[in-house]
Amino acid sequence: MSDLIQIAQETILTPVGLAEQDLDRMLGELTGNGIDAADLYFQSSRLESWVLEDGIIKEGAHNIEQGAGIRVISGEKTGFAYSDELQLPTLQEAARAARAITRSGADQSVRIAGMPMPRQLYAPINPLPSLSETEKIELLRQVDSEARQQDPRVKQVIVSLVGAYDVVLVAAIDGTLSADVRPLIRLNVHVIVEQGSRREQGSSGGGARESFDYFLDQARALGYAREAVRQALVNLDAVDAPAGAMPVVLGPGWPGVLLHEAVGHGLEGDFNRKGTSAFSGRIGEQVAAGCCTVVDDGTLPGRRGSLNVDDEGTPSRNTVLIENGILKGYMQDKHNARLMKTVSTGNGRRESYAHLPMPRMTNTYMLPGEYKPEEIIASVERGLYAVNFGGGQVDITSGRFVFSASEAYLIENGKITRPVKGATLIGNGPEAMTRVSMVGDDLKLDAGVGVCGKEGQSVPVGVGQPTLKVDELTVGGTEQ
Amino acid sequence: MAQRKAELQQRVEDLLGEAKRQGASAAEAGVSSDAGLSLTVRLGETETIEHTRDNGLGVTVYFGRRKGAASTSDLSPQALKETVAAACNFARYTSEDPCAGLADAGLMATDLPDLALYHPWKQSVEQGIERAIRCETAARELDTRIVNSEGATLNSHDGLQVYGNTHGFIGGYPSSRHSLSCAVVGKQDENMQRDYWYTLSRQGDRLQSPEQVGMTAAQRTLSRLGARQVATQQAPVLFQADVAVGLLRSFVGAIRGSTLYRKASFLLDHLGRQIFPAFIEIHEEPRLPVGLASAAYDNEGVATARRDFIRDGVLESYVLDSYAARKLGMETTGNAGGVRNLRINSGELDREGLLRKMDRGLLVTELMGQGVNMVTGDYSRGVAGFWVEGGVIQYPVEEITIAGNLRDMFMGLQEVGTDVETRSSVQSGSWLIDRMMIAGG
């Protein structure tokens, strides 16, 4: 039995008097003719947040959630119920509700067994006590003062610090018994600067599956403060963005939001099983330029999007989505993999016990190419160089995606000239990917702040890419 | 329900009592309990049946001007004590904040009329599935170009919420919310498009018929087939009512207290100034019976009342809770938790009339992305919609953006339609705006 399973049992089951045999018995009641899969998902999570604003520690809050979700699958039908009470009778009631999708019933016995963990990508720690309250407050104050020291035009600084400790335990009628202990921390800095009557904002931050010490290490948190101020000051000088189709060079790291939207979502198993994605049925086809290789990798140590096992107990892995422009594979959870006659890629994720799992990304990024970033910029006569983004959105079916630049510059005659105001970039995923003409050698992953939303469920994710050039994207500025 | 309400009220009393016992000088607490059914059918078969049951409890404590908060999904007496203790612990570390505290005692709601927000929709799972199947079938059978479906989803939720604070205020009410939605995929040549429609009400029998929802979803999908780009140009833009609501929400965001005291709004210091044309009125009606956002008191227990935000185009009031109000040296507007049933007045023209008035331009039916900068008002969004010439829709367009500044867009508002979107806490007809930059091919 792995340590993680033991931690999860002691955290969730023992306090309410549940033992492994109770899970065996409950799962037994979820078996029967016509039932293809069923699982129990137990979760206990603690979240703590601090906010500094106007130079004072304004808010501190704590949240505890605990519960279990019970899922029963028959063919394409899913029955689901959950409870925030973990008493056996309540759970059995939820189990009856979940299995009501099939009328047949022939209880079989189930014996779950823990499998050895392939590897541990992060320590099974609770990050919340990793700094004392006094030290957390001191950290927030230092970030505030670092931001204010940068420039007298800084008028407002908001710093937030969030830590979460998530313990999950999954048991399924296929014998799966698996657990994960997931620390997650995040620090964000938002600043407003003022010059005359003009005001602009900038923000930065980072996070990881680590203890809070991560932010003290190499004064990381202070770097976020300087970065937020730098962005805001750049925007004070920004002129109106151009409008229309033009070459766009995307900086390394966070601009990987492009891949997340333009190809990532479209390659999730559920959309492809249903045939509603612009990438449906296109495995083996050229869907991107030959210089593009894109992976979804849940196995990067300590990363925000990484998972030891996904929320169905499947170990995460590094899945090649697009290799040299050819579509190689989809991201799968167990349910969609079963229906598509393939195997889960460890991408079955859920926001919490109160939500159904579905195929979701982990850390999605493009592998590096051969060009120096300077060469890429020098190749553009007139275009946009976008280095920071707010967020994005995609219409899976048509492939249309947008993402919003928050820091961008004009490229004129191969040189970066003036900063321009934030603008939305819009394109069509499969088309945009075939227009990638140069990929840099400077792969960078984001700093660890990504949140992905799908069907109302939010999960932490990572993105990344080297500098890359798209020959033509539509830029939504105001200057013709 | 009455018994459950009494139970939750007792929890709130217990939380406040516990907070006092642990030394808090003031406290406020909320408890909620929701239950519901959510089911999806796809291609004529049941896909998911979800039984939802959510509890939540939250407490904020004040030690003088220091504040701490904690919440949990566990309503047990033990969890209640621990939650209060966690909140009190935070209050030891947060700073003295002269603006922190409960709303003033004199502002607490004293009359708590029944706003008729609770209308349970009695139906079995089988009846729900049948409704959803009728909805999806109507969509799939409308046209052979409807080739696939994301399904139809029926949601029915009942909830109960209770709020109280140490001024002695305690209030609580049950509410319900039901919806039916449908999304289908259409295909023509190699072009695939998806669109959806939904109906939403506190009363199950006030929803649009399943067939109507399905057919509207299918018609919307079909109308997008063959969409193309238009050339980059300046042109008038008509925001269809369901997306115009988003512009109204941006307006509300810009006059919200928390945005203003952070100096993060492009409408900073605009009180008493003209920000819309003189024919525009915007007000809220928080005590509307059966309203989607109705409440007799706000999230701090403050009595709600009808309020004008824009009169004759002039900004009359911000949207404030007591904290933001103190920061700005003003009085709360009873908007802790947001605006309730906000409405912009309509002119005389329906959507067709607005298309004729626009003559040539862009009808926007979908907005994509987050390109609204509240600090500067800069606005740049991805859109889909239709190109209009001679007041008549010519063809669907996509993969284009529109850009401008919200300040100019508000002042450039030509007319608001009579085709009011009512499925939202913020309600509006279509907006015709004089001109924006369109970026396309």
Side-chain angles (χ1 to χ4, degrees):
Chain A
M1 185 193 288
S2 88
D3 290 348
L4 293 181
I5 293 178
Q6 199 177 339
I7 295 175
Q9 289 187 337
E10 282 166 9
T11 308
I12 308 172
L13 302 184
T14 313
V16 292
L18 288 175
E20 208 169 298
Q21 302 86 281
D22 295 312
L23 305 191
D24 282 341
R25 207 169 55 239
M26 284 185 60
L27 286 169
E29 290 167 18
L30 296 178
T31 61
N33 285 336
I35 292 181
D36 295 311
D39 59 8
L40 310 174
Y41 181 85
F42 291 87
Q43 182 182 31
S44 163
S45 65
R46 285 166 183 268
L47 185 125
E48 182 185 292
S49 64
W50 296 89
V51 179
L52 176 149
E53 184 178 310
D54 284 337
I56 63 171
I57 305 298
K58 206 178 96 170
E59 280 173 28
H62 192 263
N63 179 260
I64 301 181
E65 302 269 344
Q66 177 166 301
I70 300 175
R71 175 172 67 143
V72 177
I73 297 175
S74 170
E76 298 197 21
K77 292 189 181 65
T78 301
F80 181 59
Y82 58 87
S83 168
D84 46 30
E85 288 163 33
L86 293 180
Q87 310 306 321
L88 201 52
T90 320
L91 292 175
Q92 284 167 330
E93 188 194 320
R96 274 192 296 278
R99 74 160 296 160
I101 50 153
T102 64
R103 289 210 171 69
S104 68
D107 294 355
Q108 296 152 18
S109 72
V110 173
R111 287 291 295 277
I112 48 178
M115 298 289 282
M117 209 53 165
R119 79 267 129 172
Q120 247 173 40
L121 303 172
Y122 34 85
I125 49 157
N126 177 358
L128 307 189
S130 62
L131 288 182
S132 71
E133 318 313 33
T134 318
E135 288 167 324
K136 290 170 197 164
I137 288 168
E138 184 51 30
L139 170 63
L140 292 173
R141 291 196 189 284
Q142 282 177 5
V143 172
D144 178 58
S145 99
E146 183 76 8
R148 290 181 190 275
Q149 269 170 33
Q150 298 304 306
D151 197 289
R153 288 170 291 179
V154 174
K155 296 298 171 198
Q156 175 67 266
V157 180
I158 302 170
V159 190
S160 66
L161 179 70
V162 182
Y165 174 58
D166 204 15
V167 181
V168 304
L169 179 76
V170 194
I173 60 171
D174 63 7
T176 301
L177 175 63
S178 193
D180 201 2
V181 176
R182 301 169 180 161
L184 189 64
I185 54 161
R186 179 173 163 163
L187 190 145
N188 275 77
V189 190
H190 182 90
V191 303
I192 297 205
V193 296
E194 198 173 62
Q195 177 175 294
S197 62
R198 186 158 175 185
R199 284 189 313 279
E200 291 284 352
Q201 59 188 338
S203 55
S204 178
R209 296 200 181 276
E210 297 260 6
S211 74
F212 281 130
D213 297 314
Y214 177 82
F215 295 126
L216 305 179
D217 191 26
Q218 300 160 22
R220 253 192 199 100
L222 302 185
Y224 303 149
R226 291 190 294 271
E227 172 60 15
V229 173
R230 186 196 62 76
Q231 274 182 36
L233 295 178
V234 165
N235 283 328
L236 276 180
D237 297 324
V239 298
D240 288 338
M246 64 193 73
V248 174
V249 176
L250 299 167
W254 181 240
V257 171
L258 166 83
L259 302 171
H260 179 100
E261 303 297 349
V263 296
H265 279 295
L267 298 180
E268 290 167 339
D270 44 356
F271 301 119
N272 289 286
R273 168 174 68 83
K274 296 173 183 173
T276 55
S277 164
F279 290 101
S280 296
R282 299 188 62 187
I283 294 222
E285 286 181 29
Q286 182 98 32
V287 296
C291 53
C292 298
T293 295
V294 181
V295 301
D296 182 80
D297 187 357
T299 70
L300 301 170
R303 282 274 156 192
R304 184 174 167 83
S306 298
L307 299 170
N308 286 319
V309 292
D310 71 4
D311 293 321
E312 297 180 307
T314 310
S316 61
R317 57 168 85 164
N318 182 359
T319 305
V320 177
L321 303 174
I322 293 172
E323 188 171 31
N324 300 326
I326 308 288
L327 180 57
K328 286 290 175 182
Y330 301 128
M331 289 167 277
Q332 298 286 4
D333 63 356
K334 282 185 174 180
H335 176 48
N336 288 286
R338 184 182 316 103
L339 294 170
M340 290 180 81
K341 302 199 171 16
T342 175
V343 292
S344 168
T345 53
N347 288 91
R349 304 184 66 185
R350 62 204 295 177
E351 181 179 306
S352 79
Y353 66 88
H355 300 86
L356 274 170
M358 54 185 154
R360 302 295 296 266
M361 284 174 261
T362 59
N363 304 297
T364 313
Y365 57 93
M366 181 182 286
L367 301 190
E370 58 191 22
Y371 292 97
K372 296 278 167 225
E374 310 79 58
E375 289 178 81
I376 299 179
I377 288 164
S379 74
V380 176
E381 196 173 315
R382 181 178 176 274
L384 194 76
Y385 177 53
V387 292
N388 268 300
F389 285 89
Q393 191 184 333
V394 63
D395 177 322
I396 303 294
T397 304
S398 69
R400 271 178 296 126
F401 68 91
V402 297
F403 60 142
S404 306
S406 55
E407 180 185 354
Y409 302 83
L410 278 183
I411 307 176
E412 291 166 301
N413 300 318
K415 295 206 164 50
I416 294 170
T417 55
R418 289 166 296 168
V420 294
K421 285 182 178 180
T424 291
L425 308 188
I426 191 163
N428 179 292
E431 260 172 44
M433 292 308 292
T434 58
R435 292 183 186 153
V436 175
S437 60
M438 294 173 95
V439 177
D441 59 3
D442 55 342
L443 168 63
K444 200 173 123 190
L445 299 175
D446 76 291
V449 295
V451 179
C452 168
K454 176 177 170 184
E455 291 172 29
Q457 292 194 40
S458 296
V459 296
V461 295
V463 298
Q465 68 176 32
T467 298
L468 62 83
K469 179 167 95 171
V470 186
D471 280 340
E472 189 180 285
L473 267 184
T474 298
V475 178
T478 50
E479 285 296 293
Q480 202 152 4
Chain B
M1 221 16 134
Q3 193 201 334
R4 185 75 178 140
K5 183 174 162 189
E7 277 172 32
L8 295 194
Q9 281 193 339
Q10 190 56 50
R11 290 280 197 291
V12 168
E13 302 279 9
D14 292 348
L15 278 166
L16 298 174
E18 184 62 30
K20 284 280 191 188
R21 243 188 318 281
Q22 294 193 24
S25 52
E28 54 192 325
V31 176
S32 67
S33 177
D34 296 282
L37 175 68
S38 173
L39 53 88
T40 299
V41 303
R42 178 169 176 267
L43 302 180
E45 300 280 344
T46 307
E47 188 173 66
T48 58
I49 301 174
E50 294 185 50
H51 299 269
T52 69
R53 216 167 70 172
D54 297 283
N55 294 316
L57 166 162
V59 61
T60 302
V61 297
Y62 299 92
F63 284 72
R65 295 294 174 193
R66 294 197 324 267
K67 175 182 162 184
S71 58
T72 178
S73 58
D74 186 349
L75 303 193
S76 71
Q78 183 59 28
L80 188 146
K81 273 208 180 78
E82 286 171 11
T83 305
V84 172
C88 292
N89 185 48
F90 278 101
R92 270 192 275 284
Y93 297 100
T94 50
S95 314
E96 286 283 330
D97 183 344
C99 298
L102 302 176
D104 296 346
L107 299 172
M108 294 297 115
T110 48
D111 63 322
L112 298 175
D114 178 3
L115 300 177
L117 306 180
Y118 179 53
H119 304 272
W121 192 15
K122 294 199 173 52
Q123 65 183 329
S124 63
V125 170
E126 288 72 23
Q127 286 169 323
I129 289 171
E130 191 246 316
R131 279 197 178 92
I133 288 180
R134 274 166 52 201
C135 175
E136 197 209 24
T137 304
R140 290 173 63 209
E141 288 181 348
L142 188 76
D143 192 293
T144 53
R145 290 172 297 165
I146 299 293
V147 295
N148 202 342
S149 166
E150 287 185 3
T153 298
L154 181 135
N155 278 299
S156 178
H157 291 272
D158 296 335
L160 186 57
Q161 48 189 320
V162 174
Y163 167 86
N165 61 38
T166 49
H167 287 323
F169 176 86
I170 188 155
Y173 55 91
S175 62
S176 57
R177 186 173 274 254
H178 317 287
S179 67
L180 179 62
S181 63
C182 182
V184 288
V185 174
K187 194 171 182 185
Q188 182 174 295
D189 306 322
E190 280 312 294
N191 184 244
M192 206 159 67
Q193 296 283 351
R194 162 206 182 273
D195 210 335
Y196 71 103
W197 189 246
Y198 71 98
T199 176
L200 167 71
S201 174
R202 292 201 181 274
Q203 297 164 293
D205 57 9
R206 299 297 291 272
L207 293 176
Q208 281 183 348
S209 78
E211 288 78 9
Q212 202 176 348
V213 173
M215 284 194 297
T216 309
Q219 279 156 356
R220 284 167 56 101
T221 296
L222 293 169
S223 70
R224 285 173 174 254
L225 288 168
R228 56 195 209 235
Q229 285 191 319
V230 286
T232 302
Q233 61 188 293
Q234 285 204 334
V237 174
L238 178 60
F239 289 80
Q240 188 166 278
D242 51 338
V243 294
V245 161
L247 296 174
L248 203 46
R249 285 190 196 282
S250 294
F251 161 69
V252 172
I255 60 165
R256 185 171 294 137
S258 56
T259 321
L260 293 164
Y261 78 72
R262 289 173 181 144
K263 297 193 160 203
S265 169
F266 65 94
L267 293 181
L268 194 63
D269 301 326
H270 275 56
L271 208 55
R273 282 166 60 179
Q274 181 102 33
I275 57 173
F276 280 97
F279 61 87
I280 292 296
E281 316 276 333
I282 298 175
H283 75 278
E284 69 166 342
E285 198 114 36
R287 295 187 169 203
L288 204 62
V290 208
L292 279 175
S294 297
Y297 57 91
D298 77 356
N299 291 8
E300 298 181 297
V302 174
T304 56
R306 193 201 130 95
R307 173 172 294 272
D308 289 325
F309 292 103
I310 295 286
R311 209 182 299 146
D312 301 330
V314 173
L315 182 60
E316 295 285 323
S317 170
Y318 292 145
V319 172
L320 304 175
D321 59 12
S322 67
Y323 182 81
R326 289 183 197 119
K327 289 287 260 190
L328 296 167
M330 304 176 89
E331 189 160 283
T332 176
T333 57
N335 286 109
V339 295
R340 300 179 179 280
N341 307 318
L342 187 91
R343 180 79 186 261
I344 184 168
N345 66 312
S346 296
E348 313 256 287
L349 301 175
D350 61 7
R351 199 187 78 148
E352 302 315 308
L354 288 169
L355 285 172
R356 277 193 297 275
K357 179 165 175 173
M358 177 166 75
D359 187 48
R360 178 182 181 279
L362 180 68
L363 167 64
V364 171
T365 57
E366 186 194 7
L367 291 167
M368 286 181 87
Q370 293 91 40
V372 186
N373 184 335
M374 276 307 192
V375 179
T376 59
D378 288 332
Y379 187 93
S380 170
R381 311 282 303 272
V383 303
F386 300 89
W387 188 250
V388 176
E389 302 256 1
V392 178
I393 287 175
Q394 302 295 312
Y395 51 84
V397 295
E398 65 174 8
E399 216 182 307
I400 58 173
T401 63
I402 52 171
N405 185 284
L406 284 169
R407 230 184 308 230
D408 303 329
M409 289 162 67
F410 291 165
M411 277 312 290
L413 181 54
Q414 305 283 294
E415 178 107 23
V416 178
T418 54
D419 53 340
V420 179
E421 164 64 76
T422 57
R423 300 168 298 180
S424 162
S425 62
V426 167
Q427 307 196 344
S428 175
S430 298
W431 285 28
L432 176 59
I433 289 177
D434 60 349
R435 81 186 16 250
M436 293 185 71
M437 190 71 199
I438 299 168

